[in-house]
Amino acid sequence: MRLIDTHVHINFDAFQPDLDDVARRWRDAGVVRLVHSCVEPAEFAGIQAIADRFPELFFAVGLHPLDVADRWQEGTPAEILRLAKSDVRVVAIGETGLDFYKAVNQEQQKVAFESQLALARQLGLPVIIHCRDAAAPMADLLRRFWQQQGTVQGVMHCWSGTPEETEWFLELGFYISFSGIVTFKNATQVQESAKIVPGDRLLIETDCPFLAPVPKRGEKRNEPSYVQYVAQHVARLRNVSPEELAEQTTQNACRLFKLPIPLVTTLSPISASWSHC
Ligand code: NI
């Protein structure tokens, strides 16, 4: 089984003591690629250093909506642009978006988000979108942006929206990524959403170190190998085999982020070749 964890934060302190063990477990679980998110450009060098250790890691650069109040400055878009162009392993802009839970800077968040959408469009990269308590304003902003500046590809990450909200973002062309939240007993709306996403728009992630999925929910730290539990749960919801779900989401992640994947063909089982999917 090949899995891709499309959203990790393994640069956080929680992983520093034993990252080699964590990596061994994700490899044992079949995780062949990871997409590292970025909450602020200052993380970039540290993420690059982790990707130097683990070649299956690709990454994004951007500014998280909750960091906009402290970190968004006039030079920030130029900095994100410079970093994105500096490394071929950059596969997305983000994470960016809107987080209106307790937010007092909604307008500032919109400015920072639109700016990063424009960067993604300029670079031809997808965006990784964080959206909390802001589905309607997010959909409005995106529709207006599409009309005025053109479309951008992307993913609604760690998705927790209702089926109706899910439809809005599917119509906008987005992929929908489910995290450990979809495994929680009380997350019925999210589970309904996971049933309606077309097979070619579905992604899975851990968002580790946060939100460990059932059956690991009691653990303080989530980790990439646990994406297997998200895959199993979403597969059950959709009445497909875990293997089919894994392969489908792996293909989708490769398509959206233009990731190279090891292509194992049945014709030549001994040699694995590299290919873009
Ligand atoms: Ni994140």
Side-chain angles (χ1 to χ4, degrees):
M1 192 187 303
R2 301 186 307 178
L3 293 160
I4 296 185
D5 187 346
T6 62
H7 199 106
V8 305
H9 296 272
I10 55 176
N11 62 334
F12 286 11
D13 287 346
F15 288 108
Q16 295 328 301
D18 62 341
L19 192 53
D20 285 323
D21 293 335
V22 171
R24 191 171 34 76
R25 288 194 291 273
W26 84 51
R27 287 173 179 175
D28 287 348
V31 177
V32 292
R33 293 287 177 266
L34 304 90
V35 178
H36 201 300
S37 188
C38 175
V39 295
E40 60 162 319
E43 290 183 316
F44 196 76
I47 296 170
Q48 279 180 309
I50 294 173
D52 290 343
R53 286 169 64 187
F54 307 107
E56 61 266 59
L57 196 91
F58 294 79
F59 45 96
V61 59
L63 185 68
H64 192 289
L66 291 177
D67 290 290
V68 162
D70 292 334
R71 301 269 188 267
W72 183 254
Q73 293 166 342
E74 207 185 320
T76 305
E79 175 71 351
I80 293 172
L81 182 65
R82 184 183 69 77
L83 293 172
K85 284 177 162 174
S86 73
D87 195 313
V88 294
R89 296 170 295 181
V90 172
V91 295
I93 295 297
E95 55 188 290
T96 180
L98 303 175
D99 190 320
F100 287 177
Y101 178 70
K102 293 184 180 173
V104 293
N105 65 334
Q106 298 190 1
E107 290 312 307
Q108 188 195 25
Q109 283 191 27
K110 287 182 183 174
V111 169
F113 177 47
E114 281 204 50
S115 171
Q116 292 178 79
L117 280 175
L119 284 177
R121 189 166 159 77
Q122 179 184 344
L123 291 161
L125 290 175
V127 280
I128 296 171
I129 294 188
H130 170 108
C131 180
R132 186 180 187 193
D133 288 354
M138 167 70 70
D140 287 346
L141 188 154
L142 290 171
R143 287 186 198 110
R144 187 163 32 80
F145 190 96
W146 277 200
Q147 279 170 7
Q148 293 172 353
Q149 302 192 46
T151 61
V152 179
Q153 284 219 306
V155 54
M156 303 305 292
H157 114 83
C158 198
W159 183 241
S160 62
T162 65
E164 186 191 359
E165 291 165 349
T166 304
E167 293 285 1
W168 301 343
F169 297 102
L170 288 170
E171 276 168 28
L172 284 155
F174 280 94
Y175 288 71
I176 309 289
S177 180
F178 293 93
S179 67
I181 291 175
V182 79
T183 70
F184 298 168
K185 211 172 179 179
N186 59 357
T188 50
Q189 290 286 303
V190 186
Q191 288 155 4
E192 290 308 308
S193 294
K195 293 177 187 172
I196 64 164
V197 175
D200 61 357
R201 299 278 202 93
L202 187 68
L203 297 174
I204 50 175
E205 65 174 77
T206 56
D207 201 14
C208 64
F210 313 110
L211 297 166
V214 174
K216 303 289 185 180
R217 196 177 176 183
E219 293 186 12
K220 218 170 153 190
R221 184 184 73 178
N222 191 3
E223 63 172 62
S225 67
Y226 295 171
V227 78
Q228 65 185 298
Y229 302 115
V230 179
Q232 287 165 12
H233 201 91
V234 174
R236 267 199 302 278
L237 288 168
R238 296 171 65 89
N239 282 320
V240 298
S241 69
E243 290 76 16
E244 184 181 340
L245 193 286
E247 191 53 32
Q248 198 163 45
T249 52
T250 292
Q251 295 288 339
N252 294 344
C254 288
R255 190 183 324 112
L256 177 63
F257 296 111
K258 299 188 174 68
L259 302 174
I261 59 162
L263 184 71
V264 183
T265 71
T266 50
L267 292 174
S268 54
I270 296 159
S271 68
S273 62
W274 287 75
S275 159
H276 277 85
C277 59

